[in-house]
Amino acid sequence: WTLDLSGCNWQMEGIRPGQGEIEGFHRHSGSVAGSAFNWNGASVPGDVYTDLWRAGEIDDPHYGRNGMKAKWAMEREWWYRTAFKVPAAQQGRRFRIVFDGVDYSCDVWLNGHYLGQHEGMGSAFEFEVSSWLDVGDKAGQNGLVVRLNPPPRMYREVAGRKFAWHGDYWRTLTPMGIWQPVRLVATGPMHIADPL
């Protein structure tokens, strides 16, 4: 059983590096954003700049020198969050959250529990989440939170880590975002990750 967590049901907020945990952004348990923070809507797969453009926070990064005016976004950590329910029919299964690609470095929480960190744009990763997932029709929503760490400002710092010609915004803005799908996968007690 697979639940696709991609789509437009995400929210995002930027804040000074280190401040998000102090404010408790990681303790999201599935409720919508409170009035204390003005979280923007976001799409996954996607990227920070496109989400900011959709929200009216920056001008079209493709036009003129607007990319230069959006460089402030690289100074912040960006928090993405979503909520989802798991039906009672999945009770007793083993669960993992699978990320097909996050650019470039991130930390992940589920229902306030720290799952781990990942670095690398082109590599998929996953976390075993059975112990922290609320399952069942009477259970509340689950809150998934991803913190994107600020990217290197200069491409010379990115060299060797990822491809320098990312396409969408050329070299003005270092790319960052959850750029591939995210899903919750339920299996029996064992699964084969890679038969090769």
Side-chain angles (χ1 to χ4, degrees):
W1 181 80
T2 300
L3 176 63
D4 187 358
L5 300 178
S6 304
C8 299
N9 57 337
W10 289 73
Q11 298 172 308
M12 57 104 70
E13 175 70 320
I15 198 166
R16 289 187 320 272
Q19 192 66 31
E21 276 191 87
I22 294 169
E23 298 291 342
F25 286 5
H26 61 293
R27 290 194 286 270
H28 176 53
S29 60
S31 61
V32 296
S35 60
F37 304 105
N38 294 319
W39 291 66
N40 287 319
S43 292
V44 170
D47 68 273
V48 169
Y49 309 111
T50 303
D51 288 331
L52 289 173
W53 179 19
R54 276 194 209 103
E57 301 260 344
I58 61 173
D59 294 325
D60 180 353
H62 299 286
Y63 182 78
R65 296 187 52 81
N66 288 343
M68 297 296 289
K69 292 190 277 185
K71 289 182 100 171
W72 60 267
M74 295 188 292
E75 302 293 327
R76 297 185 181 182
E77 60 185 24
W78 291 95
W79 291 75
Y80 278 70
R81 67 192 213 169
T82 191
F84 60 93
K85 288 188 74 95
V86 180
Q90 300 306 317
Q91 198 80 41
R93 313 275 318 265
R94 301 292 299 175
F95 295 93
R96 62 190 198 283
I97 291 180
V98 180
F99 291 82
D100 287 340
V102 175
D103 193 1
Y104 176 78
S105 170
C106 70
D107 295 275
V108 182
W109 289 262
L110 177 68
N111 293 333
H113 298 278
Y114 183 66
L115 300 179
Q117 189 267 347
H118 180 77
E119 186 174 302
M121 172 192 178
S123 56
F125 60 100
E126 62 185 52
F127 299 104
E128 164 64 43
V129 297
S130 302
S131 300
W132 300 290
L133 199 66
D134 290 329
V135 180
D137 299 330
K138 294 183 180 178
Q141 292 208 76
N142 294 279
L144 177 63
V145 178
V146 179
R147 175 179 59 198
L148 301 174
N149 298 307
R153 295 255 347 223
M154 303 295 290
Y155 265 97
R156 68 175 176 256
E157 301 296 324
V158 180
R161 295 184 180 188
K162 60 194 237 185
F163 189 56
W165 299 92
H166 52 86
D168 286 347
Y169 302 113
W170 200 60
R171 300 192 323 172
T172 306
L173 300 171
T174 305
M176 57 181 162
I178 305 172
W179 72 283
Q180 291 291 327
V182 180
R183 62 192 176 280
L184 177 71
V185 178
T187 66
M190 296 178 58
H191 76 277
I192 298 172
D194 186 354
L196 298 179

